[in-house]
Amino acid sequence: MRTLKNIILFVVIVAISFPVTSLACTTILVGKDLTADGAVLHGHNEDMGFTAVGRIVPMKEASYDKKDKLAVPYVTIPQSRKTYNYWGCGNALGATGLGTVQESRPYDWVLVGMNQWGVTMSCNWMYSKEESLPEKGIRRYAIRQLILERCKTAREAVKLIAGFIDKYGQADWSGLDYCLADPKEAWIVETTTKNWVAKRVKDNEFIVIANRFVIGEDYDMSSKDLIAYAVKMGWYDRKKDGKFSFKKVYGRPDRMNSPYDVDRENRASELLEGKQGVMTPEDLFQVLMDRYEGTDKFRKPISDMEHWEAVTDKLGIPRPINTNLCQSSTVAQLRSGLPVEMGSVMWYAMATAGYSGYFPVYAGATIIPDEFQNVNSAYSPSSAWWTFRILQKVADSKYDELYPYLKAYWTGRHGSVVARTGEIEARVKGLMAKGKKAEAVDLLNKFTYSQAKSALQEARFQLSTVQRKTGNISIW
């Protein structure tokens, strides 16, 4: 009879051995010279799956003894003397979705986030030629959370990722793209089991990332044995292949030109073209809500079907940026000319973008309504995530009528949110200038809390509205 450990290992191996259904997120990084206010922008749809129950939690700073150790999946590392406040967005306990097997371990839930220094992090699954190593090395979830706990800048996060992979290797899956930003710059770190490359996003460029490697010859940092390992494996010949390109050498050939990825990248670039120098968070909202509206690629959502590649290929339909796979959608607006507590704000939408409104979550804030923090993934009427997900499911049953209505409603509501945000930020800036930081932070806390609460109240009202329109009052 198998032990519990062997069963869990078997499930993990199965989960990572069939990658056809595990393509996911879309990320946009925008350099500060392309934005209207000089902010670095970091947009991301976290596509974990329709039943991947999510949460957003404020994590508090802590201090430790220099001799303390920290156990994370699957290694024990030195504990940091101090960790920072951060917003962690990710899986509720027991959630099922992309690459998860109802995990409940510490350091195994964070997917997206922003810390008190305005450092933001998101990830995209990738496909490399390197072998996947189940439970050998440090797990990607741990790296994500440790970035938020330990890094004051995106560049520090690059070095942290590199150090972990160099020392331990990356467990479970052989390709991941870490997307990082702070109020001054953005970085991409593309990783395999044992190797990595890092590229700084230029101030005058934007990059769209789906689920194929994007770094070619133009990387700024790399693992020491990157090229030597490729030569050893027979993937790269210095004489025949010319200049080394990471994506060409390490990327799995069958994954590098899939329309599932290429179409999303091209669509996002098309929507942002011509907006260089004047980009705003709202421009990224529109990209992250896009379903190819107005083109011949547009398709209505398929009831009870997730847009993994196996489904889209079988049905011959394009994979849009916005789907029911989405656990959360975020756009970080990172402004260097303001106190970081207010200058760094993560606009957050729970579940599928377009069915929920983006509300501001500030780097200096540390509270949010309990409904957004539900630890347990089981259905609860008090859960914000379940409210937004059911709203999406019910509205999709009469998509032609209800999705345009909801999208217009949330977009219209956003104008008043932005106006209120401007008022609050002016007050916070004034308090900071007078040295009244505690009062300023208290104001940010109250505003973040109230905006989240208001979004949930509106969602509950809209859910009751669409249930009346459809006659669908079932929980699921």
Side-chain angles (χ1 to χ4, degrees), residues 113-248:
M114 175 181 67
N115 71 14
Q116 69 182 74
W117 304 106
V119 174
T120 58
M121 172 280 306
S122 67
C123 290
N124 296 43
W125 276 40
M126 300 289 168
Y127 291 83
S128 83
K129 296 173 184 175
E130 278 197 32
E131 179 186 9
S132 298
L133 298 177
E135 297 192 13
K136 293 182 180 180
I138 184 169
R139 186 158 157 84
R140 60 191 180 277
Y141 286 87
I143 295 177
R144 292 163 172 161
Q145 193 163 345
L146 291 164
I147 288 168
L148 299 174
E149 285 189 353
R150 299 185 176 192
C151 298
K152 285 188 173 182
T153 66
R155 193 177 294 254
E156 282 187 12
V158 173
K159 295 177 181 178
L160 180 140
I161 295 165
F164 282 141
I165 293 177
D166 287 344
K167 185 171 183 178
Y168 303 108
Q170 185 166 231
D172 294 342
W173 187 244
S174 64
L176 203 73
D177 194 316
Y178 293 88
C179 302
L180 310 162
D182 64 29
K184 293 184 178 180
E185 60 184 3
W187 282 81
I188 304 168
V189 186
E190 299 196 323
T191 67
T192 65
T193 303
K194 301 175 182 177
N195 288 286
W196 57 273
V197 291
K199 169 185 167 62
R200 183 183 182 274
V201 179
K202 297 181 179 64
D203 294 340
N204 63 350
E205 72 174 331
F206 69 87
I207 296 179
V208 182
I209 305 157
N211 300 104
R212 61 174 188 157
F213 289 130
V214 298
I215 299 177
E217 301 174 359
D218 57 338
Y219 52 88
D220 298 300
M221 292 184 271
S222 71
S223 50
K224 181 179 179 182
D225 297 327
L226 180 73
I227 296 178
Y229 186 80
V231 171
K232 176 184 175 182
M233 298 301 293
W235 301 334
Y236 176 62
D237 186 306
R238 298 176 189 270
K239 294 181 180 179
K240 294 180 181 180
D241 298 330
K243 191 172 181 180
F244 179 85
S245 166
F246 174 75
K247 64 183 181 182
K248 181 178 179 180

Side-chain angles (χ1 to χ4, degrees), residues 246-266:
F246 174 75
K247 64 183 181 182
K248 181 178 179 180
V249 173
Y250 274 84
R252 240 175 56 186
D254 62 315
R255 298 300 336 154
M256 291 308 297
N257 294 294
S258 169
Y260 191 85
D261 300 318
V262 176
D263 288 354
R264 276 183 287 155
E265 293 171 3
N266 289 343

Side-chain angles (χ1 to χ4, degrees), residues 79-98:
Q79 177 61 277
S80 176
R81 292 294 300 275
K82 180 178 176 58
T83 62
Y84 304 129
N85 292 330
Y86 66 92
W87 290 99
C89 313
N91 297 322
L93 297 183
T96 58
L98 172 62

Side-chain angles (χ1 to χ4, degrees), residues 191-449:
T191 67
T192 65
T193 303
K194 301 175 182 177
N195 288 286
W196 57 273
V197 291
K199 169 185 167 62
R200 183 183 182 274
V201 179
K202 297 181 179 64
D203 294 340
N204 63 350
E205 72 174 331
F206 69 87
I207 296 179
V208 182
I209 305 157
N211 300 104
R212 61 174 188 157
F213 289 130
V214 298
I215 299 177
E217 301 174 359
D218 57 338
Y219 52 88
D220 298 300
M221 292 184 271
S222 71
S223 50
K224 181 179 179 182
D225 297 327
L226 180 73
I227 296 178
Y229 186 80
V231 171
K232 176 184 175 182
M233 298 301 293
W235 301 334
Y236 176 62
D237 186 306
R238 298 176 189 270
K239 294 181 180 179
K240 294 180 181 180
D241 298 330
K243 191 172 181 180
F244 179 85
S245 166
F246 174 75
K247 64 183 181 182
K248 181 178 179 180
V249 173
Y250 274 84
R252 240 175 56 186
D254 62 315
R255 298 300 336 154
M256 291 308 297
N257 294 294
S258 169
Y260 191 85
D261 300 318
V262 176
D263 288 354
R264 276 183 287 155
E265 293 171 3
N266 289 343
R267 177 61 171 169
S269 296
E270 173 190 330
L271 291 170
L272 293 174
E273 190 59 42
K275 297 182 178 180
Q276 292 91 332
V278 294
M279 286 190 202
T280 65
E282 289 72 23
D283 292 317
L284 269 61
F285 297 166
Q286 294 304 312
V287 174
L288 296 174
M289 290 190 289
D290 183 72
R291 296 177 182 268
Y292 295 114
E293 287 92 345
T295 77
D296 59 6
K297 290 184 178 180
F298 170 75
R299 299 290 188 280
K300 296 179 187 179
I302 308 167
S303 178
D304 297 322
M305 278 193 176
E306 299 178 304
H307 281 71
W308 299 122
E309 190 173 22
V311 172
T312 59
D313 278 1
K314 181 180 179 180
L315 298 178
I317 60 175
R319 187 338 189 147
I321 295 169
N322 184 26
T323 77
N324 63 6
L325 300 170
C326 197
Q327 183 187 85
S328 69
S329 182
T330 53
V331 175
Q333 180 183 15
L334 310 170
R335 299 164 290 183
S336 61
L338 298 168
V340 67
E341 291 86 355
M342 60 168 283
S344 293
V345 56
M346 181 173 68
W347 293 90
Y348 177 85
M350 186 160 260
T352 304
Y355 297 88
S356 58
Y358 290 89
F359 62 84
V361 177
Y362 284 89
T366 57
I367 61 172
I368 200 167
D370 290 342
E371 294 93 330
F372 287 85
Q373 303 182 57
N374 281 20
V375 173
N376 195 317
S377 62
Y379 170 76
S380 169
S382 67
S383 165
W385 188 89
W386 279 102
T387 298
F388 286 109
R389 176 59 87 221
I390 295 171
L391 176 60
Q392 173 253 310
K393 179 176 171 61
V394 174
D396 276 353
S397 66
K398 284 191 175 182
Y399 180 84
D400 287 339
E401 173 188 355
L402 295 177
Y403 179 69
Y405 159 73
L406 288 172
K407 185 176 179 180
Y409 173 80
W410 289 114
T411 301
R413 179 182 180 276
H414 182 70
S416 63
V417 174
V418 171
R420 183 68 176 136
T421 297
E423 297 171 4
I424 294 298
E425 289 184 355
R427 291 173 58 190
V428 169
K429 187 176 180 180
L431 289 169
M432 287 285 195
K434 295 176 181 178
K436 298 180 179 180
K437 182 177 179 179
E439 290 183 38
V441 169
D442 182 60
L443 186 55
L444 289 174
N445 266 321
K446 290 177 179 177
F447 186 62
T448 296
Y449 185 97

Side-chain angles (χ1 to χ4, degrees), residues 391 405-406 409-410 458-467:
L391 176 60
Y405 159 73
L406 288 172
Y409 173 80
W410 289 114
E458 295 291 347
R460 287 172 172 164
F461 173 77
Q462 294 302 331
L463 177 56
S464 65
T465 300
V466 300
Q467 284 176 328

